Amino acid sequence: MTKKFLTALLATASVLPLAGNAIAETKARTNLVIADLGQPETNPWVINRHRFEGCVADALGVELKEFDDQNSEEQHVAQAESIIASRPDGLIFNPLTAPAGIQVARLLEENDVPGVAVGRLVVSNYDNDYEGNDFIAQVTQNNTTWGEAMGKATAELGYKKVGMIWTQKGNISATEIWEGVAKELDAAGVEVVAESWDVLSRENGQKYAEQYIARFAPGEVDAFIVIGAVAGLGSKFAIDQAGRDDIAVITTDIDEQVAQFIKEGELEFSIGGHWMVGGFGLIQLYDYLHGHPITDTQPRVGLIPVTAANVETYANGLLNGCILSPETIRSLSKVHNPDADLSGFINDWQANWQNYVK
């Protein structure tokens, strides 16, 4: 049965009185086991994703089992094989690269286990680029606006010559983010004097920053744009060690240390909130396992630019606890609320996140 036929069948059933009532009154399963595969908890994005995903799992009564890929494509696929062999009810995964993601999707299809990718993309456009039944959706962030926000912030802060430190090629999301950055830099006349693409880590952030510092004298580079706070803090360490107070760091992701640096003026800008993709993906998978078809196969979570002006609100509201109450989480699931509009909530989240800060 093709995915399009299955979706059409379920959509047709939902308009029939008896079928509609059956879906609306679906009894919530309490025995679901969902596996999560992603990167190690060595950066704020993963830590915050797991935290929010755990809150969603608790609210929905799901058992969530977490696995990591040790930042290795080979391990990502090997872990997926092992996880799927254990026959979980479903899989949430953040593909290390698009090729690794494609292999995980193939394993899902071969073993008839439903799965949702969160964060990094498996394919650029799910509806146009993917054919299959069991890899059911990819919940991502708006990569273009993410990059544009970073590039715009760099230009507005007055930087003119920047070095870029990015994650490895083969990552569709990272490429799309950089395209957004580059577009804004080009429009503002900001020159990119050097680029580095490698595995995201503190060590690599420090290594490439040290190379740039040795290569460029004061006036020849004035900011490093670094994807990922772990690498960003590595770059900042290199700058501090070299005594180069003429170089700023523009980065992404926010934990307590990054927030504190922004408060103190040690970092100019970061951006976050995109780690909520994991919890939203879990809601999609949970509803699918209860018979509700996926209506938005590639929702995009908006990111929240953070500067000194709003960092305290962000840190106090989004870096502690569950953010959304169990009641709010359940209200986003068709199982618990027939009128749930998860995609609508995702679309509104960036603009209204402060409404959920206690």
Side-chain angles (χ1 to χ4, degrees):
M1 182 181 294
T2 67
K3 176 173 64 181
K4 291 182 179 177
F5 179 76
L6 176 62
T7 301
L9 180 63
L10 288 170
T12 301
S14 68
V15 301
L16 299 175
L18 290 178
N21 289 339
I23 288 179
E25 297 173 5
T26 301
K27 184 176 180 181
R29 293 175 58 185
T30 58
N31 61 342
L32 289 175
V33 177
I34 305 297
D36 176 276
L37 172 61
Q39 289 67 63
E41 286 196 344
T42 55
N43 71 66
W45 191 90
V46 177
I47 293 169
N48 286 322
R49 178 170 76 83
H50 283 169
R51 176 168 56 89
F52 181 59
E53 221 171 280
C55 293
V56 171
D58 289 343
L60 299 179
V62 170
E63 181 180 356
L64 188 66
K65 295 185 175 182
E66 296 174 353
F67 303 85
D68 79 72
D69 60 12
Q70 301 172 37
N71 282 318
S72 160
E73 282 186 288
E74 181 178 329
Q75 283 299 313
H76 192 89
V77 177
Q79 279 280 40
E81 289 178 336
S82 176
I83 292 166
I84 291 171
S86 72
R87 305 304 300 177
D89 292 293
L91 174 67
I92 299 287
F93 67 106
N94 179 40
L96 188 61
T97 62
I102 288 292
Q103 292 190 64
V104 175
R106 174 180 55 78
L107 289 167
L108 293 172
E109 304 293 350
E110 290 175 352
N111 293 275
D112 198 25
V113 174
V116 175
V118 296
R120 294 169 178 166
L121 292 169
V122 176
V123 291
S124 293
N125 184 292
Y126 181 90
D127 288 331
N128 294 338
D129 301 336
Y130 188 77
E131 289 290 337
N133 300 320
D134 294 300
F135 172 44
I136 59 176
Q138 48 186 13
V139 183
T140 186
Q141 57 283 315
N142 194 315
N143 294 324
T144 301
T145 58
W146 175 353
E148 289 171 351
M150 293 183 72
K152 186 176 181 180
T154 303
E156 289 179 345
L157 289 165
Y159 301 114
K160 298 297 183 183
K161 297 178 181 290
V162 302
M164 175 267 263
I165 301 172
W166 227 242
T167 194
Q168 71 263 49
K169 293 185 176 180
N171 183 324
I172 296 173
S173 298
T175 300
E176 291 182 353
I177 296 164
W178 178 247
E179 288 171 353
V181 175
K183 185 181 86 170
E184 290 294 326
L185 296 182
D186 184 62
V190 178
E191 181 184 358
V192 180
V193 298
E195 294 184 16
S196 297
W197 298 76
D198 207 337
V199 174
L200 190 63
S201 68
R202 184 182 181 93
E203 292 75 19
N204 280 339
Q206 179 178 340
K207 177 180 76 173
Y208 291 111
E210 288 172 345
Q211 291 177 6
Y212 292 169
I213 289 167
R215 178 178 169 188
F216 298 106
E220 295 179 341
V221 64
D222 54 18
F224 296 156
I225 301 179
V226 189
I227 193 168
V230 172
L233 292 177
S235 295
K236 183 183 182 304
F237 178 79
I239 292 168
D240 291 345
Q241 289 295 105
R244 289 289 296 270
D245 58 5
D246 58 305
I247 302 173
V249 174
I250 305 293
T251 191
T252 66
D253 302 334
I254 305 163
D255 62 4
E256 290 79 4
Q257 185 176 16
V258 172
Q260 188 62 37
F261 280 146
I262 292 175
K263 288 179 187 178
E264 296 171 354
E266 293 290 317
L267 286 175
E268 296 274 13
F269 172 93
S270 194
I271 193 165
H274 47 319
W275 38 265
M276 294 185 78
V277 293
F280 294 147
L282 179 54
I283 294 172
Q284 274 201 327
L285 183 56
Y286 177 81
D287 281 2
Y288 179 86
L289 290 168
H290 284 83
H292 296 276
I294 301 293
T295 56
D296 186 351
T297 57
Q298 193 166 318
R300 293 173 171 84
V301 177
L303 279 82
I304 302 166
V306 179
T307 63
N310 67 346
V311 64
E312 191 160 356
T313 303
Y314 183 97
N316 291 341
L318 299 190
L319 295 183
N320 297 289
C322 284
I323 308 171
L324 303 182
S325 68
E327 293 75 20
T328 299
I329 290 169
R330 285 191 288 270
S331 76
L332 298 175
S333 164
K334 289 283 187 182
V335 178
H336 299 276
N337 173 20
D339 298 321
D341 182 10
L342 178 62
S343 293
F345 182 89
I346 289 173
N347 290 337
D348 291 339
W349 165 254
Q350 181 183 28
N352 298 310
W353 65 274
Q354 294 187 56
N355 293 342
Y356 296 89
V357 174
K358 297 179 180 179

